[in-house]
Amino acid sequence: MHIHMLQTALLAAGTLAAPQTRALIYRGPAACDGCPEAIAHLLQTSNRKVKVTFAGPDEETKINADTLSNFDLYAQAGGPDLDDAWEELKSFTKVIQEFVSNGGRYLGFCLGAYLAGHSPGFQLLPHGIDVDSEIEQPKSQVKSAKDTVTQVDWRFTTGPNAGQTQNSRWLYFQEGAVVTGLNRSDERVLARYSSNGDVAATLTPFGKGWVGLVGPHPEATKDWYSEYHIKNPDGIKFDIGHDFVEATMRGFDNGHCSAEGTELQ
């Protein structure tokens, strides 16, 4: 048996470990307290073997082209005001664009989704697609900036629920983003807000890489809910967050997630 055939057989049998996914998560003044750690928890509880490194002005690891070349995905967490965060992060625009264009993955949660847009942002979205505030949209379920929960219709593309859309799932929400410029049937839409059909999560290509954005917080942990005395009617689950991560890592193939995970070089 050829070596690559043997490796394939061993992987299928679970004898060989899956390739390790290397994740770089921003942690600093442009992220809220606990948000980068919640993303790390989401990644490390997924079916992937993930090694997490935090990067930022007070971290040992800094964000630059050399650093990013050693990672498979870059994650941007929720955080403060968009304009304040942009002042902190705008100098990284070119290196993040190059990282994704060369095959990397960008995960944007809440503020991280806003920052992928054009006004202002890293400009990682296709022409005609941008990001705005969901609470300012007609028929939005939440109309204030307070920490709360909201409902989404999530289209699972990976795992045991692949091919299913689960309607009215509850997720943590705090002034989350909406992605604009996509039509009702666009395959790049992973989720919509249940109350009005606005786009809550997307997966779009950028060069050779992929950009996954989500307006609510599927990574929110128990302590988030406890701090603001919030109850999730569905319970605190991470299946949506894990699907979001896996979809972004795999990318789409003709409107469907690739059958195999992607190991980046």
Side-chain angles (χ1 to χ4, degrees):
M1 181 181 289
H2 294 298
I3 292 297
H4 75 276
M5 294 177 64
L6 176 60
Q7 290 177 331
T8 300
L10 290 172
L11 278 170
T15 307
L16 289 180
Q20 185 177 68
T21 299
R22 301 155 297 179
L24 188 69
I25 303 175
Y26 171 86
R27 182 163 64 181
C32 57
D33 291 342
C35 290
E37 292 82 3
I39 295 175
H41 173 266
L42 182 69
L43 293 171
Q44 292 171 331
T45 56
S46 72
N47 288 330
R48 287 183 170 265
K49 183 180 179 182
V50 181
K51 180 179 180 181
V52 167
T53 300
F54 295 106
D58 297 323
E59 303 292 334
E60 182 178 345
T61 301
K62 308 302 179 185
I63 299 172
N64 53 54
D66 288 341
T67 295
L68 285 166
S69 68
N70 296 310
F71 290 88
D72 302 308
L73 74 86
Y74 172 81
Q76 189 71 50
D81 177 80
L82 174 60
D83 291 333
D84 292 341
W86 180 239
E87 284 301 311
E88 167 71 20
L89 297 169
K90 63 183 179 182
S91 63
F92 304 134
T93 298
K94 183 178 179 180
V95 295
I96 290 175
Q97 287 178 342
E98 290 177 348
F99 165 72
V100 181
S101 183
N102 288 331
R105 272 43 175 176
Y106 177 95
L107 287 177
F109 297 79
C110 193
L111 174 65
Y114 284 100
L115 285 164
H118 300 281
S119 52
F122 300 132
Q123 301 181 46
L124 297 174
L125 295 174
H127 178 72
I129 299 175
D130 209 347
V131 186
D132 204 345
S133 172
E134 170 60 15
I135 66 174
E136 298 177 357
Q137 305 307 307
K139 299 182 180 180
S140 62
Q141 187 171 0
V142 178
K143 291 293 187 181
S144 74
K146 69 177 183 179
D147 291 71
T148 184
V149 288
T150 196
Q151 290 171 288
V152 301
D153 302 335
W154 191 274
R155 180 172 67 92
F156 285 85
T157 57
T158 70
N161 295 321
Q164 299 179 23
T165 296
Q166 295 189 6
N167 295 326
S168 302
R169 287 287 304 271
W170 291 93
L171 291 177
Y172 197 102
F173 182 87
Q174 195 278 314
E175 202 171 356
V178 57
V179 182
T180 61
L182 294 164
N183 62 43
R184 295 289 302 182
S185 60
D186 201 305
E187 288 291 336
R188 294 171 291 184
V189 175
L190 298 176
R192 293 183 179 276
Y193 291 101
S194 304
S195 65
N196 57 9
D198 285 353
V199 177
T202 57
L203 178 58
T204 54
F206 186 85
K208 298 177 181 179
W210 292 90
V211 177
L213 306 181
V214 59
H217 287 281
E219 81 282 16
T221 51
K222 182 179 179 180
D223 56 308
W224 291 32
Y225 290 91
S226 298
E227 181 176 357
Y228 292 98
H229 307 288
I230 297 168
K231 181 179 179 180
N232 187 319
D234 291 336
I236 301 172
K237 301 178 180 180
F238 298 101
D239 56 336
I240 285 177
H242 291 155
D243 183 66
F244 173 62
V245 170
E246 190 63 24
T248 305
M249 290 306 301
R250 293 187 183 192
F252 277 150
D253 181 13
N254 296 324
H256 302 279
C257 272
S258 301
E260 301 293 336
T262 302
E263 180 184 8
L264 304 181
Q265 303 299 318

